[in-house]
Amino acid sequence: MVKTKAVMIGAGLANMAAAVYLIQEGHWRGDQITFYGADMHGANDGGPTTDFTSEYWNENHPMENTTGYVARGGRMLNYRTYVDLMDLLDRIPSATEPGMTAAEDTHDFDAHHRTYDKARLLQGGKGIIDGGKLGLNNKDRVLLSKLVMMPDDDETKLDNVSIAEYFKDDPHMFQTNFWYMWETTFAFRTQSAAQELRRYMHQMIYEFTQIEHLVGVNRTRYNQFESIMLPLIKYLKDQGVTFIDNRIVTDWDFADSELQDEITVTGIHVKNVDSGEEEVVAIDEDTAVIFTNGSITDSATMGDYDTPAPENMEYGISAALWKKATERFYNLGTPDKFFNDRKSSEWVSFTLTTKNHLLLNEITRITTQVPGNALNSFLSTTPITPLGHKDVNMSIVVHHQPHFTTQKPNESVIWGYFLYPRRTGEFVHKPYIKMTGKEMAQELIGQLSKVDPGPNNIKNKEAEIMDSIINNIPVYMPYASALFNNRAKTDRPEVIPEHSTNLAFTGEFAEQPYQMIFTEQSAVRSGEIAAYHFAGVSMDNLVDTPRYDKDPKTLLRATKKMFS
């Protein structure tokens, strides 16, 4: 149903994309669009720590040390599959490079700083592992091939099937270099959904042939906020879009209808985070409600150099609103599948800022590559999985410097994460989730010392490195991998649910044909669909999604790679 106004619940990438398409393809004015959000960036954040101290999710645990930088997560792009994202970025000016669109900015930077990871896997006692040798056996190959060859119509056969269950007769899979690289590139776990692994294998099949070097990975000039979100915010504000932040939408009013499954929003309950006051915003029949129904950074908390990030047991605020809608209507998915199983979804990340380049230079020496070329991972030599297998301890990303526009020339910023935060460190004997920023830095130095144990061991410089650290911010994210949680296809609502007159769902917890989640691509695509629907634009105008899983040459190269 065509509308003339829109209320956006959530101000992340998906809804900002929807706003751009409403303006440019629907020919709406900016003042027809209003955003309500707890913040104005969603999960694509990044900046000085002072930018985060007042945000609602950390209000009860303020940081003592507010120097340095923080990004709760990091984003890798891929031009070949992120076609909707690049279309969006080509519609708006760069926030940092005059005369360029945000897409041209990214293309220009990437052309001069191509990814070629020479140290994709690092293991204590062995140094750089040859990731080109995937280590697959015939059973691994057969099961992976079945995923790639499975038709889209058969995907429901994987409803509620975890990756571990899919490979239950093939535990060898989880000891291959292929799995280590896939796990750390995309943040899959063995308990994640096999459906999602299938979608990744379909849409990223060509990346399979070059995963050890990540040459298909593209990066933005700066952090994801300044290179992706800030251009969107500036463009939308220039168009007259209204942003009302520090607001949480807590409940719905729906119309009563003779058709009990008809979904019509008539009001939203909006809470002011600062004052606690709540108002009901009426939704008339000309207004669309576009709702991002889950966020991987909901309930996130931060620590600092001397303080661990505390656990926030709050059910995700966007998921809580989603859940209230599911209590009224039957076809809107199952939020608890994603937000009620923290053991399957939690991460701890850290952002480390130094006042000189000593640590950066040591990592460059150990990995034999310059900053910005790689995503490095560390493997443990200690059996720590329930099956007694080796597994990844931690991952780090060494960005091209500077990673923030306000970063000083002498400063370095390094990001890393622990995919299994309740495991115990090898050098700091406590769970990662309990570590301070200082202890995470010590654990990092210890892991690097295992990789390069010779006379120039980094341990010899530990005191000097620790003295160079301005801050190291641990971030606990209970729902960071929630979008991969084991599920059925119907556990996510469609972007435009059946019988909905004015409500759309966007983001990583909305179901879209073929799209893989945890990507800027799927987020933008959902916003594009919602905008076209409510603006009356034909879906034939959607950006064409490439299908590399249908390309014989790509499949042949992937088959050859399986036997490497």
mmCIF file of all heavy atoms in Angstrom, residues 283-323:
data_model
loop_
_atom_site.group_PDB
_atom_site.id
_atom_site.type_symbol
_atom_site.label_atom_id
_atom_site.label_comp_id
_atom_site.label_asym_id
_atom_site.label_seq_id
_atom_site.Cartn_x
_atom_site.Cartn_y
_atom_site.Cartn_z
ATOM 1 N N ILE A 283 -0.045 6.973 14.532
ATOM 2 C CA ILE A 283 0.324 6.611 13.168
ATOM 3 C C ILE A 283 -0.943 6.634 12.323
ATOM 4 O O ILE A 283 -1.868 5.837 12.549
ATOM 5 C CB ILE A 283 0.964 5.198 13.118
ATOM 6 C CG1 ILE A 283 2.179 5.116 14.053
ATOM 7 C CG2 ILE A 283 1.332 4.832 11.685
ATOM 8 C CD1 ILE A 283 3.337 5.995 13.685
ATOM 9 N N ASP A 284 -1.011 7.548 11.370
ATOM 10 C CA ASP A 284 -2.218 7.630 10.552
ATOM 11 C C ASP A 284 -2.116 6.696 9.353
ATOM 12 O O ASP A 284 -1.088 6.055 9.115
ATOM 13 C CB ASP A 284 -2.509 9.069 10.142
ATOM 14 C CG ASP A 284 -1.413 9.685 9.278
ATOM 15 O OD1 ASP A 284 -0.772 8.943 8.493
ATOM 16 O OD2 ASP A 284 -1.186 10.908 9.381
ATOM 17 N N GLU A 285 -3.189 6.653 8.565
ATOM 18 C CA GLU A 285 -3.271 5.670 7.485
ATOM 19 C C GLU A 285 -2.321 5.979 6.337
ATOM 20 O O GLU A 285 -2.090 5.116 5.475
ATOM 21 C CB GLU A 285 -4.700 5.593 6.963
ATOM 22 C CG GLU A 285 -5.237 6.885 6.367
ATOM 23 C CD GLU A 285 -6.678 6.782 5.923
ATOM 24 O OE1 GLU A 285 -7.324 5.770 6.245
ATOM 25 O OE2 GLU A 285 -7.151 7.708 5.245
ATOM 26 N N ASP A 286 -1.754 7.167 6.299
ATOM 27 C CA ASP A 286 -0.806 7.525 5.238
ATOM 28 C C ASP A 286 0.648 7.256 5.618
ATOM 29 O O ASP A 286 1.553 7.552 4.835
ATOM 30 C CB ASP A 286 -0.950 9.008 4.887
ATOM 31 C CG ASP A 286 -2.310 9.336 4.287
ATOM 32 O OD1 ASP A 286 -2.829 8.498 3.532
ATOM 33 O OD2 ASP A 286 -2.848 10.420 4.607
ATOM 34 N N THR A 287 0.876 6.708 6.814
ATOM 35 C CA THR A 287 2.236 6.565 7.335
ATOM 36 C C THR A 287 2.673 5.102 7.370
ATOM 37 O O THR A 287 1.957 4.239 7.894
ATOM 38 C CB THR A 287 2.337 7.160 8.746
ATOM 39 O OG1 THR A 287 2.010 8.547 8.685
ATOM 40 C CG2 THR A 287 3.748 7.002 9.313
ATOM 41 N N ALA A 288 3.853 4.841 6.839
ATOM 42 C CA ALA A 288 4.491 3.529 6.946
ATOM 43 C C ALA A 288 5.348 3.484 8.205
ATOM 44 O O ALA A 288 5.925 4.505 8.611
ATOM 45 C CB ALA A 288 5.358 3.261 5.718
ATOM 46 N N VAL A 289 5.434 2.326 8.808
ATOM 47 C CA VAL A 289 6.316 2.105 9.957
ATOM 48 C C VAL A 289 7.363 1.091 9.521
ATOM 49 O O VAL A 289 7.037 -0.055 9.192
ATOM 50 C CB VAL A 289 5.537 1.589 11.179
ATOM 51 C CG1 VAL A 289 6.503 1.332 12.337
ATOM 52 C CG2 VAL A 289 4.470 2.594 11.595
ATOM 53 N N ILE A 290 8.619 1.516 9.485
ATOM 54 C CA ILE A 290 9.717 0.657 9.029
ATOM 55 C C ILE A 290 10.605 0.381 10.235
ATOM 56 O O ILE A 290 11.220 1.290 10.788
ATOM 57 C CB ILE A 290 10.484 1.326 7.871
ATOM 58 C CG1 ILE A 290 9.517 1.604 6.702
ATOM 59 C CG2 ILE A 290 11.625 0.440 7.409
ATOM 60 C CD1 ILE A 290 10.156 2.292 5.510
ATOM 61 N N PHE A 291 10.660 -0.872 10.633
ATOM 62 C CA PHE A 291 11.177 -1.284 11.941
ATOM 63 C C PHE A 291 12.351 -2.239 11.791
ATOM 64 O O PHE A 291 12.220 -3.309 11.201
ATOM 65 C CB PHE A 291 10.035 -1.949 12.727
ATOM 66 C CG PHE A 291 10.431 -2.669 13.983
ATOM 67 C CD1 PHE A 291 11.358 -2.135 14.864
ATOM 68 C CD2 PHE A 291 9.846 -3.895 14.298
ATOM 69 C CE1 PHE A 291 11.723 -2.812 16.030
ATOM 70 C CE2 PHE A 291 10.193 -4.573 15.462
ATOM 71 C CZ PHE A 291 11.132 -4.042 16.327
ATOM 72 N N THR A 292 13.507 -1.863 12.319
ATOM 73 C CA THR A 292 14.645 -2.777 12.408
ATOM 74 C C THR A 292 14.461 -3.610 13.665
ATOM 75 O O THR A 292 14.649 -3.115 14.781
ATOM 76 C CB THR A 292 15.977 -2.007 12.441
ATOM 77 O OG1 THR A 292 16.086 -1.220 11.242
ATOM 78 C CG2 THR A 292 17.152 -2.966 12.526
ATOM 79 N N ASN A 293 14.111 -4.874 13.482
ATOM 80 C CA ASN A 293 13.583 -5.689 14.584
ATOM 81 C C ASN A 293 14.629 -6.464 15.371
ATOM 82 O O ASN A 293 14.298 -7.407 16.089
ATOM 83 C CB ASN A 293 12.538 -6.678 14.053
ATOM 84 C CG ASN A 293 13.089 -7.607 12.983
ATOM 85 O OD1 ASN A 293 13.619 -7.153 11.980
ATOM 86 N ND2 ASN A 293 12.955 -8.903 13.177
ATOM 87 N N GLY A 294 15.869 -6.059 15.296
ATOM 88 C CA GLY A 294 16.903 -6.694 16.113
ATOM 89 C C GLY A 294 18.231 -6.033 15.838
ATOM 90 O O GLY A 294 18.478 -5.562 14.714
ATOM 91 N N SER A 295 19.084 -5.976 16.844
ATOM 92 C CA SER A 295 20.404 -5.364 16.666
ATOM 93 C C SER A 295 21.446 -6.215 17.366
ATOM 94 O O SER A 295 21.251 -6.632 18.514
ATOM 95 C CB SER A 295 20.437 -3.948 17.242
ATOM 96 O OG SER A 295 21.760 -3.436 17.237
ATOM 97 N N ILE A 296 22.556 -6.447 16.691
ATOM 98 C CA ILE A 296 23.619 -7.256 17.288
ATOM 99 C C ILE A 296 24.378 -6.499 18.369
ATOM 100 O O ILE A 296 25.146 -7.108 19.118
ATOM 101 C CB ILE A 296 24.603 -7.775 16.218
ATOM 102 C CG1 ILE A 296 25.272 -6.625 15.467
ATOM 103 C CG2 ILE A 296 23.889 -8.713 15.268
ATOM 104 C CD1 ILE A 296 26.354 -7.080 14.488
ATOM 105 N N THR A 297 24.170 -5.188 18.472
ATOM 106 C CA THR A 297 24.830 -4.428 19.541
ATOM 107 C C THR A 297 23.871 -4.052 20.666
ATOM 108 O O THR A 297 24.255 -3.319 21.582
ATOM 109 C CB THR A 297 25.491 -3.157 18.980
ATOM 110 O OG1 THR A 297 24.539 -2.425 18.205
ATOM 111 C CG2 THR A 297 26.683 -3.509 18.112
ATOM 112 N N ASP A 298 22.638 -4.549 20.631
ATOM 113 C CA ASP A 298 21.741 -4.341 21.768
ATOM 114 C C ASP A 298 22.358 -4.912 23.043
ATOM 115 O O ASP A 298 22.999 -5.975 23.013
ATOM 116 C CB ASP A 298 20.392 -5.025 21.519
ATOM 117 C CG ASP A 298 19.410 -4.122 20.808
ATOM 118 O OD1 ASP A 298 19.754 -2.954 20.548
ATOM 119 O OD2 ASP A 298 18.290 -4.577 20.500
ATOM 120 N N SER A 299 22.172 -4.227 24.155
ATOM 121 C CA SER A 299 22.642 -4.645 25.488
ATOM 122 C C SER A 299 24.158 -4.697 25.590
ATOM 123 O O SER A 299 24.702 -5.281 26.538
ATOM 124 C CB SER A 299 22.048 -6.011 25.884
ATOM 125 O OG SER A 299 20.637 -5.985 25.829
ATOM 126 N N ALA A 300 24.864 -4.070 24.635
ATOM 127 C CA ALA A 300 26.325 -4.042 24.695
ATOM 128 C C ALA A 300 26.799 -3.128 25.822
ATOM 129 O O ALA A 300 26.153 -2.146 26.166
ATOM 130 C CB ALA A 300 26.900 -3.549 23.366
ATOM 131 N N THR A 301 27.938 -3.480 26.404
ATOM 132 C CA THR A 301 28.549 -2.654 27.451
ATOM 133 C C THR A 301 30.047 -2.528 27.190
ATOM 134 O O THR A 301 30.644 -3.367 26.506
ATOM 135 C CB THR A 301 28.344 -3.256 28.852
ATOM 136 O OG1 THR A 301 28.844 -4.611 28.850
ATOM 137 C CG2 THR A 301 26.873 -3.273 29.245
ATOM 138 N N MET A 302 30.656 -1.497 27.768
ATOM 139 C CA MET A 302 32.082 -1.263 27.585
ATOM 140 C C MET A 302 32.783 -1.199 28.923
ATOM 141 O O MET A 302 32.226 -0.734 29.913
ATOM 142 C CB MET A 302 32.317 0.043 26.832
ATOM 143 C CG MET A 302 31.798 0.027 25.420
ATOM 144 S SD MET A 302 32.422 1.429 24.449
ATOM 145 C CE MET A 302 31.791 2.796 25.378
ATOM 146 N N GLY A 303 34.018 -1.652 28.933
ATOM 147 C CA GLY A 303 34.908 -1.440 30.057
ATOM 148 C C GLY A 303 35.985 -0.457 29.652
ATOM 149 O O GLY A 303 35.810 0.351 28.747
ATOM 150 N N ASP A 304 37.150 -0.550 30.298
ATOM 151 C CA ASP A 304 38.281 0.265 29.895
ATOM 152 C C ASP A 304 39.564 -0.467 30.262
ATOM 153 O O ASP A 304 39.547 -1.678 30.511
ATOM 154 C CB ASP A 304 38.215 1.675 30.482
ATOM 155 C CG ASP A 304 38.128 1.687 32.004
ATOM 156 O OD1 ASP A 304 38.663 0.750 32.658
ATOM 157 O OD2 ASP A 304 37.525 2.624 32.562
ATOM 158 N N TYR A 305 40.654 0.243 30.310
ATOM 159 C CA TYR A 305 41.966 -0.385 30.526
ATOM 160 C C TYR A 305 42.004 -1.156 31.844
ATOM 161 O O TYR A 305 42.619 -2.227 31.918
ATOM 162 C CB TYR A 305 43.043 0.698 30.520
ATOM 163 C CG TYR A 305 44.461 0.160 30.483
ATOM 164 C CD1 TYR A 305 44.955 -0.442 29.341
ATOM 165 C CD2 TYR A 305 45.299 0.285 31.593
ATOM 166 C CE1 TYR A 305 46.261 -0.929 29.291
ATOM 167 C CE2 TYR A 305 46.602 -0.191 31.555
ATOM 168 C CZ TYR A 305 47.079 -0.800 30.403
ATOM 169 O OH TYR A 305 48.356 -1.278 30.372
ATOM 170 N N ASP A 306 41.331 -0.654 32.851
ATOM 171 C CA ASP A 306 41.382 -1.275 34.175
ATOM 172 C C ASP A 306 40.077 -1.945 34.587
ATOM 173 O O ASP A 306 39.973 -2.433 35.714
ATOM 174 C CB ASP A 306 41.744 -0.221 35.230
ATOM 175 C CG ASP A 306 43.128 0.389 34.975
ATOM 176 O OD1 ASP A 306 44.089 -0.394 34.845
ATOM 177 O OD2 ASP A 306 43.220 1.622 34.892
ATOM 178 N N THR A 307 39.099 -1.992 33.691
ATOM 179 C CA THR A 307 37.777 -2.485 34.063
ATOM 180 C C THR A 307 37.234 -3.406 32.978
ATOM 181 O O THR A 307 37.209 -3.027 31.803
ATOM 182 C CB THR A 307 36.785 -1.316 34.235
ATOM 183 O OG1 THR A 307 37.383 -0.319 35.067
ATOM 184 C CG2 THR A 307 35.487 -1.797 34.871
ATOM 185 N N PRO A 308 36.781 -4.610 33.331
ATOM 186 C CA PRO A 308 36.127 -5.461 32.331
ATOM 187 C C PRO A 308 34.787 -4.858 31.898
ATOM 188 O O PRO A 308 34.184 -4.069 32.633
ATOM 189 C CB PRO A 308 35.902 -6.788 33.069
ATOM 190 C CG PRO A 308 36.660 -6.693 34.344
ATOM 191 C CD PRO A 308 36.824 -5.240 34.657
ATOM 192 N N ALA A 309 34.324 -5.221 30.731
ATOM 193 C CA ALA A 309 32.978 -4.827 30.309
ATOM 194 C C ALA A 309 31.974 -5.652 31.104
ATOM 195 O O ALA A 309 32.036 -6.879 31.105
ATOM 196 C CB ALA A 309 32.798 -5.074 28.820
ATOM 197 N N PRO A 310 31.054 -5.014 31.807
ATOM 198 C CA PRO A 310 30.094 -5.771 32.623
ATOM 199 C C PRO A 310 29.062 -6.471 31.744
ATOM 200 O O PRO A 310 28.819 -6.063 30.611
ATOM 201 C CB PRO A 310 29.428 -4.686 33.473
ATOM 202 C CG PRO A 310 29.531 -3.451 32.639
ATOM 203 C CD PRO A 310 30.833 -3.559 31.897
ATOM 204 N N GLU A 311 28.475 -7.533 32.275
ATOM 205 C CA GLU A 311 27.380 -8.191 31.566
ATOM 206 C C GLU A 311 26.087 -7.426 31.795
ATOM 207 O O GLU A 311 25.740 -7.103 32.930
ATOM 208 C CB GLU A 311 27.205 -9.632 32.051
ATOM 209 C CG GLU A 311 28.267 -10.587 31.555
ATOM 210 C CD GLU A 311 27.898 -12.032 31.838
ATOM 211 O OE1 GLU A 311 26.885 -12.508 31.291
ATOM 212 O OE2 GLU A 311 28.621 -12.688 32.614
ATOM 213 N N ASN A 312 25.402 -7.155 30.712
ATOM 214 C CA ASN A 312 24.086 -6.547 30.774
ATOM 215 C C ASN A 312 23.073 -7.632 30.398
ATOM 216 O O ASN A 312 23.053 -8.090 29.257
ATOM 217 C CB ASN A 312 24.005 -5.368 29.799
ATOM 218 C CG ASN A 312 22.642 -4.703 29.776
ATOM 219 O OD1 ASN A 312 21.733 -5.103 30.485
ATOM 220 N ND2 ASN A 312 22.514 -3.688 28.944
ATOM 221 N N MET A 313 22.239 -8.032 31.333
ATOM 222 C CA MET A 313 21.321 -9.146 31.102
ATOM 223 C C MET A 313 20.015 -8.705 30.447
ATOM 224 O O MET A 313 19.100 -9.509 30.272
ATOM 225 C CB MET A 313 21.027 -9.861 32.424
ATOM 226 C CG MET A 313 22.255 -10.418 33.120
ATOM 227 S SD MET A 313 23.298 -11.454 32.026
ATOM 228 C CE MET A 313 22.164 -12.805 31.673
ATOM 229 N N GLU A 314 19.932 -7.439 30.056
ATOM 230 C CA GLU A 314 18.719 -6.917 29.429
ATOM 231 C C GLU A 314 18.455 -7.616 28.094
ATOM 232 O O GLU A 314 19.345 -7.772 27.264
ATOM 233 C CB GLU A 314 18.895 -5.419 29.204
ATOM 234 C CG GLU A 314 17.748 -4.722 28.510
ATOM 235 C CD GLU A 314 18.076 -3.266 28.202
ATOM 236 O OE1 GLU A 314 19.029 -3.021 27.432
ATOM 237 O OE2 GLU A 314 17.397 -2.377 28.742
ATOM 238 N N TYR A 315 17.220 -8.046 27.895
ATOM 239 C CA TYR A 315 16.793 -8.558 26.588
ATOM 240 C C TYR A 315 16.908 -7.392 25.604
ATOM 241 O O TYR A 315 16.555 -6.257 25.920
ATOM 242 C CB TYR A 315 15.347 -9.019 26.683
ATOM 243 C CG TYR A 315 14.859 -9.935 25.575
ATOM 244 C CD1 TYR A 315 15.040 -11.313 25.647
ATOM 245 C CD2 TYR A 315 14.208 -9.427 24.463
ATOM 246 C CE1 TYR A 315 14.561 -12.156 24.656
ATOM 247 C CE2 TYR A 315 13.731 -10.261 23.463
ATOM 248 C CZ TYR A 315 13.912 -11.627 23.555
ATOM 249 O OH TYR A 315 13.437 -12.471 22.567
ATOM 250 N N GLY A 316 17.406 -7.641 24.423
ATOM 251 C CA GLY A 316 17.631 -6.573 23.463
ATOM 252 C C GLY A 316 16.417 -5.688 23.261
ATOM 253 O O GLY A 316 15.290 -6.188 23.108
ATOM 254 N N ILE A 317 16.591 -4.371 23.283
ATOM 255 C CA ILE A 317 15.454 -3.458 23.250
ATOM 256 C C ILE A 317 14.663 -3.562 21.941
ATOM 257 O O ILE A 317 13.428 -3.501 21.945
ATOM 258 C CB ILE A 317 15.888 -1.994 23.502
ATOM 259 C CG1 ILE A 317 16.947 -1.559 22.485
ATOM 260 C CG2 ILE A 317 16.368 -1.807 24.916
ATOM 261 C CD1 ILE A 317 17.229 -0.071 22.527
ATOM 262 N N SER A 318 15.366 -3.715 20.817
ATOM 263 C CA SER A 318 14.645 -3.845 19.550
ATOM 264 C C SER A 318 13.968 -5.201 19.458
ATOM 265 O O SER A 318 12.845 -5.313 18.937
ATOM 266 C CB SER A 318 15.593 -3.618 18.371
ATOM 267 O OG SER A 318 16.747 -4.420 18.490
ATOM 268 N N ALA A 319 14.617 -6.225 19.990
ATOM 269 C CA ALA A 319 14.009 -7.557 19.990
ATOM 270 C C ALA A 319 12.800 -7.615 20.919
ATOM 271 O O ALA A 319 11.826 -8.328 20.652
ATOM 272 C CB ALA A 319 15.037 -8.599 20.398
ATOM 273 N N ALA A 320 12.846 -6.862 22.017
ATOM 274 C CA ALA A 320 11.705 -6.832 22.946
ATOM 275 C C ALA A 320 10.474 -6.243 22.263
ATOM 276 O O ALA A 320 9.338 -6.720 22.465
ATOM 277 C CB ALA A 320 12.067 -6.017 24.187
ATOM 278 N N LEU A 321 10.682 -5.221 21.438
ATOM 279 C CA LEU A 321 9.564 -4.646 20.696
ATOM 280 C C LEU A 321 9.060 -5.624 19.638
ATOM 281 O O LEU A 321 7.844 -5.757 19.427
ATOM 282 C CB LEU A 321 9.991 -3.326 20.053
ATOM 283 C CG LEU A 321 8.909 -2.553 19.310
ATOM 284 C CD1 LEU A 321 7.781 -2.141 20.257
ATOM 285 C CD2 LEU A 321 9.508 -1.341 18.606
ATOM 286 N N TRP A 322 9.987 -6.293 18.975
ATOM 287 C CA TRP A 322 9.625 -7.342 18.013
ATOM 288 C C TRP A 322 8.777 -8.419 18.697
ATOM 289 O O TRP A 322 7.748 -8.846 18.175
ATOM 290 C CB TRP A 322 10.906 -7.923 17.420
ATOM 291 C CG TRP A 322 10.758 -9.109 16.516
ATOM 292 C CD1 TRP A 322 9.629 -9.513 15.844
ATOM 293 C CD2 TRP A 322 11.788 -10.029 16.164
ATOM 294 N NE1 TRP A 322 9.913 -10.641 15.104
ATOM 295 C CE2 TRP A 322 11.216 -10.971 15.267
ATOM 296 C CE3 TRP A 322 13.136 -10.154 16.513
ATOM 297 C CZ2 TRP A 322 11.964 -12.026 14.734
ATOM 298 C CZ3 TRP A 322 13.882 -11.191 15.974
ATOM 299 C CH2 TRP A 322 13.296 -12.125 15.093
ATOM 300 N N LYS A 323 9.207 -8.815 19.887
ATOM 301 C CA LYS A 323 8.496 -9.871 20.613
ATOM 302 C C LYS A 323 7.056 -9.456 20.926
ATOM 303 O O LYS A 323 6.132 -10.289 20.870
ATOM 304 C CB LYS A 323 9.258 -10.211 21.893
ATOM 305 C CG LYS A 323 8.793 -11.479 22.579
ATOM 306 C CD LYS A 323 9.760 -11.881 23.688
ATOM 307 C CE LYS A 323 9.354 -13.197 24.313
ATOM 308 N NZ LYS A 323 10.342 -13.657 25.318
#
